[in-house]
Amino acid sequence: MPGYQTSLIANNLNALREQIVGIDQPVPLLDGSRRPYIYLDNAASTPAFRGVQQKVNEFLHWYSSVHRGAGFKSLISTHAYDQARDIVARFVGADLETDCVIFGKNTTEANNILAHWIESIRDRRRLTTTPSAHSWRHRVSRIDRRGASRTRTSTSSRLDRSFRSHP
């Protein structure tokens, strides 16, 4: 039985490995030869799965500015972004009435946003911007006395109106 389990594990790992984008991408070495890349820096650049790549490629046709435009593609992008925030909030058990989900491009940006937020609570300043402020232009955020962030937006109602008027 141990041989069967080892074979099963190896097959599962190979199937998982095949789902990673660029897993066998050859890269040049100093001697001019090429070898498959080995991911030793996953904290900074973890490769995506093929399913993620597929969904990104599907959505790129609809992508436009988030929380900044009134056009159809912008409304779709904003709606998708807000849905993603809701999904993440539910996943981590956050209540969007008292908690806030903010996406960052990377760990450094996320840490900077968090540090800025903590500093604003300490100083009891109003939090209205983040390092990626342009994506929050139509979103109003504030910090209440307990330090909870409250966010409101009218994007989904604009999107609903747009869908109703579009075949």
Side-chain angles (χ1 to χ4, degrees):
M1 245 0 193
Y4 173 75
Q5 288 176 339
T6 303
S7 175
L8 186 61
I9 291 170
N11 287 340
N12 286 339
L13 288 176
N14 284 334
L16 182 60
R17 189 175 191 281
E18 290 175 14
Q19 291 302 311
I20 299 173
V21 175
I23 192 71
D24 290 320
Q25 179 67 41
V27 295
L29 301 179
L30 292 175
D31 67 2
S33 66
R34 292 182 170 269
R35 299 284 186 274
Y37 187 75
I38 298 174
Y39 291 91
L40 298 176
D41 58 352
N42 278 0
S45 58
T46 302
F49 286 107
R50 293 195 190 284
V52 172
Q53 179 186 33
Q54 178 185 351
K55 290 299 179 186
V56 167
N57 287 339
E58 287 173 15
F59 189 74
L60 281 176
H61 300 283
W62 296 100
Y63 178 75
S64 186
S65 58
V66 173
H67 294 135
R68 291 184 61 161
F72 189 74
K73 285 185 173 186
S74 181
L75 294 176
I76 287 176
S77 294
T78 298
H79 183 69
Y81 181 89
D82 288 340
Q83 278 187 321
R85 288 179 65 246
D86 292 342
I87 290 167
V88 169
R90 282 194 310 270
F91 181 76
V92 299
D95 175 4
L96 290 177
E97 290 296 317
T98 57
D99 302 318
C100 186
V101 173
I102 300 174
F103 293 124
K105 294 186 297 279
N106 52 46
T107 304
T108 301
E109 182 186 50
N111 285 335
N112 288 338
I113 291 170
L114 179 60
H116 180 75
W117 184 76
I118 290 170
E119 180 183 339
S120 70
I121 290 172
R122 188 176 304 133
D123 295 342
R124 297 289 186 233
R125 285 184 276 165
R126 238 180 125 167
L127 177 63
T128 55
T129 61
T130 66
S132 55
H134 67 275
S135 66
W136 294 90
R137 185 170 304 234
H138 294 292
R139 184 169 290 282
V140 179
S141 298
R142 68 175 178 80
I143 305 297
D144 68 16
R145 287 185 201 143
R146 293 183 325 268
S149 175
R150 301 204 183 270
T151 304
R152 60 184 160 82
T153 183
S154 61
T155 302
S156 58
S157 61
R158 289 188 304 159
L159 183 61
D160 291 341
R161 284 194 306 272
S162 179
F163 274 124
R164 280 195 297 270
S165 63
H166 206 353

